[in-house]
Amino acid sequence: KDLEHRESQLETLQSDTELARTEHASLQQASNEAMKMMREMRNTHLQEIRLLQKGLQARTDDKVRNRVNEMADLVDKLGRAIVQRDEALKENSKLSSQLNQAKSEIRNLQMERSKILSQNKKLSKQFEGMRSRAEKLMAPPKESAMSAGAEDLSDDEFEAELAAFERRYMVLDEGAK
């Protein structure tokens, strides 16, 4: 019992350790994704600032004052870039939440699977124990008692043979039900 208890504790600790490892990996990945997103946002922001600076410089420059259409195009491109960035961020966060949800479902299913496997091991051990007991009960009587014959049995031997026969009969009767 102590060994089985320790084995179950070991299995529990192993599953907890594996859970912590997967959780750490998912959190590390989320951290990396957040850092990547921040870098992308910073680069996009810098590009937007450069575009705005070009637009402002174009306003103050006498040569480019006549380029109103180019300025409008520049502002239009900037607006589209901002909208596209926002849509990409929304999509990225949506996919990230779906990924985390799928990972948690997988973790739960793995834990459930390990519980079922341990339960199967326990039940197979019980089955083997019951099988060995049934084989002992169903085993034919010893050769020495059979060869001696019914006349040569003492009262104690006869009682033992009768008890063994009754046990086999009870097992067969219970199995038939």
Side-chain angles (χ1 to χ4, degrees), residues 30-134:
S31 172
N32 289 341
E33 289 175 4
M35 291 298 290
K36 182 181 176 184
M37 189 183 309
M38 285 175 51
R39 277 189 228 109
E40 289 175 0
M41 289 173 65
R42 182 175 178 264
N43 289 337
T44 306
H45 181 68
L46 288 173
Q47 288 174 352
E48 292 170 1
I49 289 174
R50 286 184 193 130
L51 285 173
L52 287 173
Q53 286 174 345
K54 284 182 184 179
L56 289 174
Q57 186 180 14
R59 275 188 182 174
T60 58
D61 196 2
D62 290 334
K63 297 178 191 174
V64 188
R65 277 193 178 174
N66 296 331
R67 295 185 181 176
V68 175
N69 289 339
E70 288 181 19
M71 185 75 74
D73 289 341
L74 194 61
V75 171
D76 185 45
K77 286 180 184 178
L78 178 63
R80 278 191 246 139
I82 292 171
V83 169
Q84 188 178 17
R85 181 196 66 199
D86 291 343
E87 288 175 358
L89 288 175
K90 286 179 186 176
E91 187 67 27
N92 193 7
S93 64
K94 182 175 155 184
L95 290 175
S96 176
S97 66
Q98 287 176 349
L99 177 66
N100 288 336
Q101 182 180 7
K103 283 182 180 181
S104 67
E105 286 178 18
I106 288 172
R107 252 186 260 121
N108 292 337
L109 289 173
Q110 286 176 339
M111 288 173 52
E112 185 177 332
R113 179 184 174 268
S114 65
K115 287 178 184 177
I116 290 173
L117 286 176
S118 65
Q119 185 180 14
N120 281 347
K121 285 181 184 178
K122 288 178 185 177
L123 290 175
S124 65
K125 286 180 183 178
Q126 287 178 353
F127 177 73
E128 288 300 320
M130 294 178 104
R131 177 187 283 172
S132 65
R133 281 189 239 135

